[in-house]
Amino acid sequence: MLELLRIFIQVASYGSFSKTAKALNIAPSSVTRSIDKLEAELGVSLFKRSTRALSLTEHGQQLFERANLLIKNADDLVSSVKDANAEPKGELKISVFESFGRQKVSPLIPLFLKQFPKVNVQIELDNQLVDLNSSAFDIGIRIGKPEDSDLRARKLLENRMVLCASPDYLDVFGSPAEPSELSDHNCLLLNQGRQRCYWHFNSKPSPQKNSSQSSLQKKVLVTGNLSSKGGSPLVEAAIAGTGILLIARWMVEEHLSDGKLIECMPEWTPSLYEQGSGDIYAIYQGSRYLKPSVRSFIDFLAEHISD
């Protein structure tokens, strides 16, 4: 049936039995017999035939619209089965926002290429979101799931936030004891294209109290003399004692460990957004049959990047 449908699609596209026969390098009579057989199996006429023109019937038009998708899915399925154990190879183009790409993804590329030497990776670190449906990128790494239903997402990391500052800054200006005190501090701000910047806080349940107690929520208007679309300049400024910073914990975990930065108000859960800061996902086009290089890279990231 699939081969008959392939011939049917060609005839409908060319509008001619003879042109289809020439394109497929078979006899015109073979094309005619194939269409006759398909019509007999379906019990309908697919073409209006005359000496001057060949056109689709209503049934033929319906079949043509769906047969293309059916053939594509069948070809993709066969390809995916063939490629299931195939060695990943070819071009792999990745877009990732700058700070995460520089700190988490770029260091893993040499390990990936050592494991899959036939893959050619092109990675772009850019805070500008790319449209995977209209660009040449295979994978985009973003904060939050895409709204586009044609794209698929795989979680890589929970984007937990931390409020922190350098020991020097805290020695001079003191450590805030509760969210409202941040209005008296120089806050280093991630530029989100808004005129006013708010930080959000939820209180953590006290171990000494009933864990079912409702948490307090606070929203604080913050200001500061430095803002950036990327987090790297803000982290450097925080280490230098410029101000207090709300940033993803994965960006500063090393500096928290070595004491260059100190967590502030650990009894509060901070966020840049009222509904949480979102997780980090690998985004890719929604085909069910991924090429091996895309599947391998996403699996590799999921294995090596964890909470």
Side-chain angles (χ1 to χ4, degrees):
M1 175 67 79
L2 285 179
E3 287 307 311
L4 296 179
L5 288 174
R6 291 182 193 278
I7 294 174
F8 163 73
I9 290 171
Q10 292 291 330
V11 174
S13 299
Y14 283 111
S16 167
F17 286 96
S18 58
K19 290 181 180 179
T20 299
K22 186 176 180 180
L24 299 178
N25 196 28
I26 58 177
S29 57
S30 296
V31 175
T32 302
R33 283 196 298 271
S34 295
I35 297 302
D36 289 342
K37 183 177 180 181
L38 182 60
E39 289 180 328
E41 289 190 15
L42 297 176
V44 296
S45 296
L46 299 174
F47 293 99
K48 300 175 184 177
R49 312 183 196 191
S50 70
T51 56
R52 293 186 176 183
L54 184 69
S55 60
L56 289 168
T57 64
E58 182 178 349
H59 291 301
Q61 185 62 44
Q62 292 177 358
L63 181 64
F64 181 70
E65 292 173 358
R66 299 185 180 183
N68 276 297
L69 180 60
L70 176 63
I71 294 298
K72 181 182 183 304
N73 286 338
D75 289 343
D76 286 346
L77 175 59
V78 171
S79 177
S80 70
V81 172
K82 287 183 178 179
D83 290 341
N85 297 315
E87 181 180 5
K89 59 184 178 180
E91 300 293 329
L92 179 63
K93 195 170 182 182
I94 306 158
S95 171
V96 53
F97 61 98
E98 182 269 338
S99 54
F100 192 78
R102 192 176 305 280
Q103 189 165 334
K104 290 292 188 180
V105 179
S106 295
L108 294 176
I109 298 296
L111 297 176
F112 177 78
L113 292 177
K114 185 176 182 180
Q115 186 173 343
F116 303 106
K118 293 186 179 180
V119 177
N120 298 319
V121 172
Q122 180 180 341
I123 182 169
E124 291 194 12
L125 308 182
D126 194 341
N127 292 322
Q128 184 70 33
L129 291 180
V130 298
D131 183 356
L132 294 183
N133 289 319
S134 61
S135 70
F137 287 99
D138 298 295
I139 301 171
I141 298 177
R142 305 175 181 173
I143 296 176
K145 282 187 175 181
E147 296 181 359
D148 189 339
S149 60
D150 292 331
L151 298 176
R152 299 176 69 184
R154 181 166 176 180
K155 180 181 173 182
L156 299 177
L157 191 69
E158 184 179 347
N159 202 34
R160 295 192 298 268
M161 308 297 288
V162 62
L163 187 73
C164 56
S166 72
D168 290 342
Y169 178 88
L170 296 177
D171 286 343
V172 175
F173 298 98
S175 181
E178 68 97 28
S180 63
E181 295 183 12
L182 288 170
S183 59
D184 298 325
H185 285 267
N186 186 49
C187 297
L188 307 175
L189 308 176
L190 280 169
N191 188 340
Q192 299 173 293
R194 302 171 184 170
Q195 291 183 340
R196 312 181 84 187
C197 183
Y198 291 92
W199 288 351
H200 303 267
F201 296 86
N202 288 328
S203 63
K204 296 179 181 178
S206 172
Q208 288 76 32
K209 297 181 180 180
N210 189 335
S211 60
S212 64
Q213 64 177 319
S214 59
S215 64
L216 296 176
Q217 297 181 343
K218 295 197 174 183
K219 175 181 177 181
V220 182
L221 176 65
V222 291
T223 59
N225 60 7
L226 178 63
S227 65
S228 171
K229 284 188 176 181
S232 298
L234 303 182
V235 173
E236 294 171 1
I239 292 173
T242 306
I244 194 165
L245 175 64
L246 179 58
I247 199 73
R249 184 176 287 272
W250 56 262
M251 281 201 70
V252 293
E253 54 193 356
E254 179 182 347
H255 305 309
L256 292 170
S257 297
D258 62 22
K260 290 181 179 178
L261 293 173
I262 296 175
E263 182 174 2
C264 303
M265 300 192 307
E267 66 276 13
W268 293 85
T269 299
S271 174
L272 293 172
Y273 307 96
E274 191 168 2
Q275 300 301 323
S277 292
D279 297 329
I280 297 175
Y281 291 86
I283 311 298
Y284 53 100
Q285 290 180 326
S287 171
R288 289 175 292 171
Y289 313 113
L290 294 178
K291 63 182 184 181
S293 59
V294 173
R295 183 187 301 109
S296 296
F297 189 76
I298 293 175
D299 288 344
F300 185 87
L301 287 181
E303 178 183 353
H304 288 81
I305 296 176
S306 66
D307 293 332

